[in-house]
Amino acid sequence: MKYCFGVDIGGTTVKMGLFSTEGELYEKWEIKTHTENEGKQVLPDIAASVRAKMEEKGISAEETAGVGVGVPAPVSEGIVKNSANIGWGYKNVKKEMEELLPGIRAEIGNDANVAALGEMWLGAGKGCSNMIMVTLGTGVGGGVICQGHVIAGANGAGGEIGHICVNYSETEKCGCGKTGCLEQYASATGIARLAKLRLAKLHGKTLLEGKNLSAKSVFDAVKKDDRVAIEIAEEFGAYLGHALANMAVIVDPEMIVIGGGVSNAGPALLPFIEKPFQEKAFFANKDTKIVLATLGNDAGICGAARLII
Ligand SMILES: [Zn+2]
């Protein structure tokens, strides 16, 4: 048994965890993400925090298998070409991290891919080796695991499920600059957008009237049997369920794991995805289980630690 660190870099905080290589999480903590000056301080801050923890626990470099880092950007061979969220342009993250922590190996991955690894290792996908994870947050992230390996792809952009085109006639633009991306309908912001569009042309009563429209307010109203909210959830579910059925044909997963803030709606969310999935799923993929993620915000640190093993 050795120790390893899992690091999940976000736009405002860096989440960190100390693990055993066998998957025990000993301790987790957070530091601030200093994005100013093109994020120059982000990696040195992480290295200092890792060193401080090693000192505190009396852990030597020899006892440390490595530091895994999840980054909100495509990652290819440890290199990030651009990460708007944390101010980075081109950065060889693996090399810099290893220079900052002599004698300790670093492995870098995209945050959504890393979250998928985390759920496979210690969460909802335990024991699975073929799995799709979709993270429904501000955006829609994704991670595809085939035979135990994350599909990172040639540009580190493998599994970017959020940018599958699901509506060819959309005119509004996605954050990526294209139109009709899944993210425009299935992220927290996407659900709020669907709600706003529907309420604008609505004649009739709904609990959503006058409410701050969000994924949470929509699913809260769904739980109270609000007809309009249910229709919004069905629209969201159709986009997501059909996209997942299309993905299942390529990946043939044992399981599809749904995570991110939207998944806080709980089990009530699943039928809205399962029904359209079943409508479009190829017969061989019909038994694919769709489940909620179980690690919550810890998926990132868990998966980052898993990069080391
Ligand atoms: Zn897009």
Side-chain angles (χ1 to χ4, degrees):
M1 196 280 289
K2 280 193 167 188
Y3 294 96
C4 57
F5 290 86
V7 178
D8 179 17
I9 306 182
T12 49
T13 60
V14 180
K15 297 185 178 66
M16 306 184 60
L18 172 64
F19 294 79
S20 74
T21 46
E22 269 135 34
E24 196 173 342
L25 171 57
Y26 296 116
E27 204 175 314
K28 54 179 180 174
W29 67 98
E30 287 183 12
I31 60 174
K32 198 179 172 320
T33 313
H34 287 108
T35 53
E36 60 273 15
N37 300 322
E38 291 155 354
K40 213 193 286 171
Q41 212 39 50
V42 175
L43 294 181
D45 286 347
I46 291 169
S49 188
V50 165
R51 268 198 303 268
K53 189 58 68 182
M54 288 170 69
E55 208 159 294
E56 179 196 325
K57 302 279 176 191
I59 300 169
S60 66
E62 293 72 44
E63 292 170 296
T64 306
V67 177
V69 183
V71 179
V75 180
S76 187
E77 298 182 7
I79 294 169
V80 167
K81 288 185 181 149
N82 193 307
S83 181
N85 285 346
I86 43 181
W88 293 350
Y90 180 96
K91 203 174 202 42
N92 190 332
V93 183
K94 179 176 164 67
K95 185 164 166 271
E96 285 189 33
M97 208 64 226
E98 287 179 347
E99 282 168 5
L100 287 161
L101 292 167
I104 296 176
R105 181 164 65 95
E107 295 298 338
I108 321 299
N110 164 263
D111 57 357
N113 288 346
V114 159
L117 261 186
E119 287 289 342
M120 180 190 79
W121 191 34
L122 300 172
K126 236 182 189 174
C128 262
S129 46
N130 296 286
M131 190 190 105
I132 295 173
M133 174 157 176
V134 31
T135 305
L136 309 173
T138 316
V140 171
V144 175
I145 295 174
C146 278
Q147 278 139 19
H149 297 283
V150 173
I151 306 295
N155 302 291
E160 283 285 359
I161 299 168
H163 304 284
I164 289 181
C165 183
V166 294
N167 181 358
Y168 298 118
S169 49
E170 179 62 68
T171 52
E172 270 184 51
K173 274 193 177 156
C174 172
C176 74
K178 307 291 177 182
T179 54
C181 294
L182 179 62
E183 183 162 296
Q184 292 180 276
Y185 313 93
S187 61
T189 11
I191 296 169
R193 192 177 76 100
L194 290 179
K196 202 186 287 173
L197 290 171
R198 193 165 286 252
L199 261 67
K201 50 181 182 189
L202 181 80
H203 311 286
K205 283 215 167 312
T206 166
L207 296 168
L208 294 170
E209 202 85 69
K211 283 255 170 66
N212 173 30
L213 295 176
S214 65
K216 183 175 186 311
S217 62
V218 168
F219 280 98
D220 284 349
V222 164
K223 288 170 193 162
K224 291 177 182 148
D225 274 328
D226 183 82
R227 190 61 239 161
V228 174
I230 289 172
E231 283 168 16
I232 296 164
E234 284 171 347
E235 193 179 358
F236 144 83
Y239 282 118
L240 181 57
H242 293 165
L244 291 174
N246 289 341
M247 294 211 48
V249 179
I250 303 168
V251 177
D252 190 11
E254 297 159 63
M255 190 183 277
I256 295 171
V257 180
I258 312 285
V262 174
S263 71
N264 292 336
L269 181 71
L270 294 177
F272 291 100
I273 306 168
E274 284 161 344
K275 187 167 172 275
F277 177 85
Q278 286 296 331
E279 276 165 19
K280 298 290 182 199
F282 179 57
F283 64 83
N285 303 127
K286 284 245 180 235
D287 294 330
T288 308
K289 289 192 281 288
I290 301 182
V291 301
L292 295 171
T294 59
L295 296 178
N297 287 333
D298 291 345
I301 54 171
C302 293
R306 179 66 175 69
L307 288 175
I308 293 302
I309 296 156

